[in-house]
Amino acid sequence: MVRPCRFQANPLTAASNAFQAQVPADDHKLSNALARSQFDRLAVALRDAGVNCLVFEDTPEPHTPDAIFPNNWISTHADGRVALYPMEAVNRRPERRTDFIEALQRIGFHVSETRDFCAAESASHYLEGTGSLVFDRACGVAFACESSRTHAALAAEVCAALGYRLVLFRASDRAGRAIYHTNVMMFVGTAVALVCTESIHPDYRSEVLSEIKAGGREIVEIGFDELDGFAGNMLELKGKDGAVIAMSQSAFNSLDATARETLARHARLVASDISHIETQSGGSVRCMLAEVHLPRAS
């Protein structure tokens, strides 16, 4: 997790992110203070649930208003590989920091290789980490819905390099706009998954659901109302006493009792209010978490 330093709505991301407020906060200092407070409460809630949270501090310069969302530029893998990803907004690219990787190594994680795919930015091809790619790590599958931030050919290239089979599809919101990140419309956990079925183009819907079911998971299907509440943007984490599913309070509130009960059968649910972060930046809890899958150094 990256604690924000100069958080504010990013005008360079608003065009492709329908979740982002069109009118940014006027008082940037207040906006940052609110974001930091909500960030801290989320980190505390996760730690209280037994999740080991590694918190890094953002820096004042260069100004990276979306640094709170590290999952868009890095992913880590059980074979020791780290991947760095190309991002659409120019002012997001400085978020990529090799000192984070070095810090993970210092505390005992093994990095066998760093794969940098960021040269694709020169061709205006983007793939924003685990925002664009929802990994089913158990089955070796990666789900991706095409958008300006998720380039189809690049997704295929990256998945081949990292050893995942790509399931590519199209998904749109209720207004017909391409969903900018796959991880706002679906999440795949160990024994349960959640997906906004009606957002998936009919030509792809059966395939996507079949691929999720192939992992033996129970599926929670949501609609556009829950999608708008960020219910698709959750993540399963490893807690001290078992699985934890992290989500925002907005996401939790949008779910009906049946959906909550289904998720709770498989993991402890942790919900935290990050409404200011969601409104200003159009991202939620899953976007704030870059999970560590690296092996421990021997």
Side-chain angles (χ1 to χ4, degrees):
M1 300 179 72
V2 180
R3 192 167 189 256
C5 178
R6 295 177 62 191
F7 174 90
Q8 64 188 68
N10 186 351
L12 299 188
T13 59
S16 60
N17 184 348
F19 293 88
Q20 187 174 333
Q22 298 304 304
V23 181
D26 293 327
D27 188 332
H28 295 321
K29 288 185 178 180
L30 176 60
S31 181
N32 185 63
L34 287 171
R36 286 167 68 90
S37 176
Q38 291 184 351
F39 175 96
D40 289 342
R41 287 199 296 271
L42 172 61
V44 168
L46 291 174
R47 286 169 172 156
D48 286 347
V51 176
N52 182 18
C53 294
L54 304 173
V55 175
F56 295 90
E57 294 289 339
D58 187 22
T59 56
E61 296 295 339
H63 182 203
T64 49
D66 286 321
I68 198 171
F69 301 132
N71 82 306
N72 295 141
W73 63 264
I74 187 171
S75 70
T76 65
H77 301 269
D79 60 3
R81 285 188 290 181
V82 174
L84 304 179
Y85 294 92
M87 295 194 287
E88 184 177 54
V90 174
N91 65 354
R92 293 209 62 191
R93 298 171 191 174
E95 294 174 29
R96 298 187 291 252
R97 290 172 53 180
T98 57
D99 61 316
F100 286 9
I101 302 170
E102 294 162 359
L104 291 173
Q105 292 175 294
R106 285 197 300 272
I107 61 175
F109 291 102
H110 172 65
V111 175
S112 61
E113 180 186 13
T114 298
R115 294 294 304 266
D116 188 340
F117 298 101
C118 301
E121 288 169 350
S122 63
S124 299
H125 294 169
Y126 312 114
L127 191 71
E128 298 193 332
T130 53
S132 294
L133 298 170
V134 171
F135 290 116
D136 176 351
R137 295 173 188 264
C139 296
V141 172
F143 297 89
C145 60
E146 292 185 70
S147 73
S148 66
R149 304 198 200 182
T150 303
H151 187 271
L154 181 58
E157 175 189 339
V158 170
C159 286
L162 296 178
Y164 290 88
R165 180 170 56 84
L166 176 65
V167 176
L168 188 71
F169 60 98
R170 290 165 51 201
S172 304
D173 63 18
R174 71 172 85 231
R177 296 167 295 197
I179 291 179
Y180 80 111
H181 277 160
T182 315
N183 76 355
V184 300
M185 53 75 59
M186 68 181 297
F187 115 91
V188 176
T190 303
V192 66
L194 180 146
V195 59
C196 182
T197 312
E198 65 180 323
S199 72
I200 304 172
H201 190 281
D203 290 348
Y204 301 90
R205 193 172 294 160
S206 176
E207 177 191 7
V208 172
L209 291 174
S210 294
E211 289 286 357
I212 298 172
K213 291 176 182 176
R217 299 173 184 85
E218 186 169 9
I219 297 181
V220 175
E221 297 189 53
I222 61 170
F224 287 128
D225 288 342
E226 295 87 352
L227 176 79
D228 292 343
F230 290 99
N233 198 242
M234 56 180 68
L235 180 66
E236 182 180 307
L237 300 166
K238 185 177 181 180
K240 184 172 62 176
D241 299 317
V244 171
I245 295 178
M247 67 187 78
S248 71
Q249 192 64 50
S250 300
F252 182 85
N253 292 345
S254 75
L255 297 171
D256 63 24
T258 300
R260 295 176 189 173
E261 290 167 5
T262 301
L263 293 169
R265 282 201 299 270
H266 300 284
R268 175 177 175 178
L269 306 187
V270 175
S272 187
D273 176 19
I274 58 162
S275 53
H276 177 71
I277 295 168
E278 289 174 324
T279 301
Q280 291 298 302
S281 289
S284 191
V285 166
R286 194 276 170 267
C287 302
M288 297 169 65
L289 303 170
E291 66 268 40
V292 180
H293 289 274
L294 296 171
R296 288 287 181 176
S298 57

